[in-house]
Amino acid sequence: MSWNLASRLEADDFQLKRGLAEMLRGGVIMDVTDAGQARIAEAAGAVAVMALERIPADIRRDGGVARMSDPALIQSIQQAVSIPVMAKCRIGHFAEAQILQALAVDFIDESEVLTPADEEHHIHKWDFSIPFVCGATDLGEALRRIGEGAALIRTKGEAGSGNIVEAVRHLRRIHTQMRELTQLDPGQLMSRAKTLGAPYELVCYVAEQGELPVPNFSAGGVATPADAALVRQLGAEAVFVGSGIFRSEDPAERAAAIVRAATHFDDPAVLAEVSHGLKGAMPGLELGELPDAQRLAKRGW
Amino acid sequence: MRSAWPSVAGNSAIGILALQGNVPAHARMLARLGRPARPVHRPADLEDIAGLILPGGESTTLSQLLQGNDLDQAIIDFARHRPLLGTCAGLILMSSDTGDARVAPLGLLETQITRNHYGRQRESFIATLEGGSFAGLRAAFIRAPALRARAPLEVLATHRGLPVAVRQGRHVGCAFHPELGQDTRVHEYWLDLA
């Protein structure tokens, strides 16, 4: 095991992990709960699907412990589509991640949507050959996950809420904190690493490059084409849509519309066209009424 | 992704299809070679560019977005006079037979594709290319396709006996990702054809 983070980020295995994340840029990754939904997502232009037993809105409604999906479900989705298939494991549950790797999923989401298995430790992701995506609410959290080997960062947002406000908060915060780093002189970076709680080498990387060393996507609360365009304009390179598609009244049309919105995010004429005449979006939650204990974004650190 | 598209006069700029996929990596490669790059979102963007790159991404997604933006026929017309470079998903789109009804071929390279030939991400790999114009290049194969090469295709590189980079006229297709890493030879070779 090397202590040199820079050399690890340049090693072949990490290049392959980050490479797949980069190929997803500009796209939409959709939550699906069966092979039929996966085929609808692929036909609508999804760049990948997230295979899970229940969409976040239902996990939120049902309560109880949410775990990795049944391998039979994941395999049926792998057989149904030709695009990458992702699956979620619980935060810190490396045994679930080992199972997902054995199933040859293309990406593992160490996700706050499931019930955390370890409140102190996230998975040591360098141990795996499959790339990981992890959620973050600020720059320090993003860099800690990359330090553990994540090849892709997404905002946490507030999954299953249909409310974009938290994803916007997280995106703005991460980008503001990155811009601030680029203004500091080198002598200030160790101090900033301390306040961010982030690996010093990665703080130096962001200060020099002005961006994360891996792609940065958005997740949590996307329900409309306009939501996708908003997070793209705020700097998200691609969009995860969880409950927003298959909880709506018109999944196939809405999925295709969100795909086009993610591509033409800065062209309001196209956004108006694709938003036209869609049926009801998922109902959504007013987050001011949601107690802290039910906020998924607070899981993990 | 929105940053750093310098505005360019004249016809020296290279277009990069910017519907989905790893556009920034190709833009970085062109910047390193001193060639201005421009994003292509719609048919009008094809005017006044010297060549077009179809990047890596998801070929099913790209195929739909090409059709949804009336870019499929526009690119076929463009390719009669200007060169194309396709990498991974871009190669699949340029082929004459994608082997998959979900991806419509543009028919610019006379070749038949097998998508995800090597398997899933677990089977992705980096290898040193053996023969041909790019010997020694460290090539990333990410959920890569395989292609069948026959005349009039010229094989530019092979890996374990399989063709992985091909040329037909001024069009070049790669099963791997020359835009990842530091080696600029594939882009230089293609720009010279242009």
Side-chain angles (χ1 to χ4, degrees), chain A residues 12 16 22-25 42-47 78 82-84 101-102 104 106 233 263-265 267, chain B residues 2 19-22 42 57-58 60-61 64-65 69 102 115-116 120-122 125-126 138 143 177 180:
Chain A
D12 279 2
L16 289 171
E22 292 183 11
M23 298 312 149
L24 304 174
R25 281 174 163 152
E42 181 179 53
V47 288
Q78 286 175 315
S82 63
I83 55 180
Q101 176 158 287
D106 295 290
Q233 289 190 42
T263 293
H264 300 286
F265 63 94
D267 187 336
Chain B
R2 280 174 303 154
L19 298 176
Q20 189 276 315
N22 200 359
R42 51 185 67 76
E58 266 312 305
T60 50
T61 304
Q64 287 176 44
L65 288 169
N69 290 283
R102 292 171 281 208
R115 293 182 61 214
N116 302 330
R120 300 182 180 280
Q121 175 65 8
R122 196 174 59 181
F125 61 97
I126 292 182
R138 298 281 290 155
R143 290 172 48 93
H177 291 283
L180 300 177

Side-chain angles (χ1 to χ4, degrees), chain B residues 68-114:
Chain B
N69 290 283
D70 302 321
L71 268 163
D72 42 357
Q73 189 58 46
I75 288 175
I76 292 168
D77 295 341
F78 175 87
R80 292 201 184 99
H81 310 289
R82 304 279 188 201
L84 260 71
L85 169 64
T87 61
C88 196
L91 162 71
I92 297 172
L93 294 169
M94 285 172 72
S95 74
S96 53
D97 180 355
T98 67
D100 189 330
R102 292 171 281 208
V103 185
L106 295 170
L108 305 175
L109 296 172
E110 288 293 322
T111 183
Q112 187 185 13
I113 297 289
T114 309

Side-chain angles (χ1 to χ4, degrees), chain A residues 114-149:
Chain A
L114 306 183
T115 310
D118 189 328
E119 294 186 336
E120 271 183 69
H121 308 95
H122 285 250
I123 294 172
H124 187 64
K125 293 166 271 287
W126 298 110
D127 288 345
F128 291 79
S129 62
I130 303 289
F132 276 75
V133 52
C134 288
T137 61
D138 62 24
L139 181 59
E141 191 171 13
L143 297 182
R144 289 192 290 278
R145 297 294 86 76
I146 297 166
E148 293 160 353

